[in-house]
Amino acid sequence: MLQAIPEANIWWMYKETEINNGSTLVNDIDMRQYYYVNSVGSTAWKRKSELFLSATSVDDNGTFSCFAGNKAGKAKAEFTLHVVVPMPPKPPQVN
C-alpha cells in the first residue's frame, strides 16, 4: 500500500526495462505476459499496485522493481523472482 500526497505515479521495471501492460519483455514470440493493476484505496492518496506474471519460466528470474514518484520525491520497492523447474524423476535402475 502506497500513501502519498500529492498523488504519486506508479510504474514497474524489470532488468532496466519499463513494464507496459501486456509486455512480453523476452521476445515477440514468447506469449508470457506481464501486467500490473493500480487501484485506489479508501482515499485518493492511498494506492496499491500489483504485478502479475503469466506462465513463468526461468527466463523470468530476476529483480522486479516498483517505483512511485511525485514532486516530493521517489520511492522504490524490489522483489527477486526465482523460478525453479523441477527435474523429471529418474527411471528405476535395472540391475
Side-chain angles (χ1 to χ4, degrees), residues 21-88:
N21 280 338
S23 293
T24 58
L25 295 182
V26 177
N27 61 49
D28 290 335
I29 297 169
D30 188 347
M31 298 316 301
R32 289 176 291 122
Q33 291 190 335
Y34 302 167
Y35 66 96
Y36 60 89
V37 175
N38 293 334
S39 57
V40 177
S42 57
T43 61
W45 49 272
K46 291 184 179 180
R47 299 183 67 196
K48 179 171 80 170
S49 185
E50 297 177 281
L51 179 67
F52 296 89
L53 312 174
S54 62
T56 58
S57 75
V58 293
D59 291 330
D60 296 307
N61 285 344
T63 300
F64 291 81
S65 303
C66 179
F67 292 88
N70 62 17
K71 66 182 180 182
K74 185 165 74 171
K76 176 173 80 169
E78 293 183 328
F79 74 92
T80 301
L81 178 67
H82 298 281
V83 177
V84 178
V85 178
M87 298 297 288

